[in-house]
Amino acid sequence: MLRINISTQPIRLDYSINNAQMNLQTTQPKIQLQTTPAIVEISQPCGELTIDQTSCRYAIGFKNISDLARDVAAEGRQTVMETIGRIAQEGEQMAGTSSNVLANIAANSTVSKDVEVIYAHIPLPDISYQANPVRFNPIDGNVDLNLHRGTVQQDYRRGSVDIQVTQYPSIEISTVDVKI
């Protein structure tokens, strides 16, 4: 009897695998904001104050030179007229026939006028103020925007598969005569 012996040997492989790699390097985006604030400069020049005391000073007797000279000249004229009138009156009295003329003239010259006190309204000074307008000087603010874009750099390394056959497949068939 014949016997068939079959022996097989499978293939043997040696694998060497390098995985693929993707290296990514990123730079983050940046936003830079610089602001300059808005400014409003406000100024107001000094106003003009005017005080006119002419009417109240005149009411109490303080006058400027030209008005004082005019008033003194008028008073002097009035005094001259009154003195001329008094002298003429005294001359008439002396020309008359009455007795004691000199005694009467002397008695009349010693009589003084009554003091007169007058309560009068004194006008208030004229005060005025002229304000200058307010000046506004606005200075605009500023916003500076600087944008730095982010970047992505890639480094791709391919993977590899290396296959080596360490044992080839084989089939061995043999026959043996076996006696029974």
Side-chain angles (χ1 to χ4, degrees):
M1 162 158 92
L2 277 180
R3 183 191 267 182
I4 297 179
N5 284 336
I6 299 173
S7 70
T8 63
Q9 189 173 359
I11 190 169
R12 286 192 187 172
L13 300 174
D14 188 17
Y15 298 103
S16 174
I17 300 173
N18 289 325
N19 291 331
Q21 291 182 347
M22 174 71 86
N23 293 326
L24 296 176
Q25 292 180 350
T26 59
T27 304
Q28 296 293 325
K30 291 181 184 177
I31 296 176
Q32 292 178 336
L33 286 176
Q34 292 180 342
T35 60
T36 304
I39 298 172
V40 177
E41 294 176 351
I42 301 172
S43 64
Q44 183 177 16
C46 294
E48 186 176 327
L49 177 65
T50 304
I51 301 174
D52 184 9
Q53 296 183 354
T54 305
S55 59
C56 65
R57 292 177 62 87
Y58 275 35
I60 59 175
F62 296 122
K63 299 179 182 178
N64 63 23
I65 296 296
S66 62
D67 291 341
L68 181 63
R70 185 182 57 229
D71 291 348
V72 167
E75 267 187 54
R77 202 174 305 116
Q78 181 66 30
T79 304
V80 166
M81 297 304 271
E82 287 175 2
T83 304
I84 291 172
R86 184 180 49 84
I87 292 173
Q89 184 180 15
E90 290 174 358
E92 283 184 18
Q93 286 178 357
M94 287 185 184
T97 56
S98 77
S99 63
N100 293 334
V101 173
L102 292 178
N104 287 339
I105 292 174
N108 288 339
S109 66
T110 60
V111 175
S112 64
K113 295 181 182 176
D114 293 333
V115 176
E116 198 176 324
V117 176
I118 300 172
Y119 291 101
H121 172 72
I122 298 176
L124 296 175
D126 182 22
I127 300 173
S128 66
Y129 180 76
Q130 179 65 37
N132 287 324
V134 177
R135 295 181 189 158
F136 292 97
N137 183 19
I139 299 172
D140 294 336
N142 191 13
V143 176
D144 291 329
L145 172 66
N146 292 324
L147 177 64
H148 300 285
R149 295 183 180 268
T151 59
V152 177
Q153 294 177 348
Q154 64 180 6
D155 180 21
Y156 178 70
R157 293 187 185 158
R158 294 179 175 260
S160 64
V161 177
D162 187 20
I163 302 173
Q164 291 181 351
V165 178
T166 57
Q167 178 180 332
Y168 289 99
S170 66
I171 297 176
E172 216 176 274
I173 302 173
S174 62
T175 59
V176 177
D177 189 18
V178 176
K179 296 190 183 179
I180 321 188

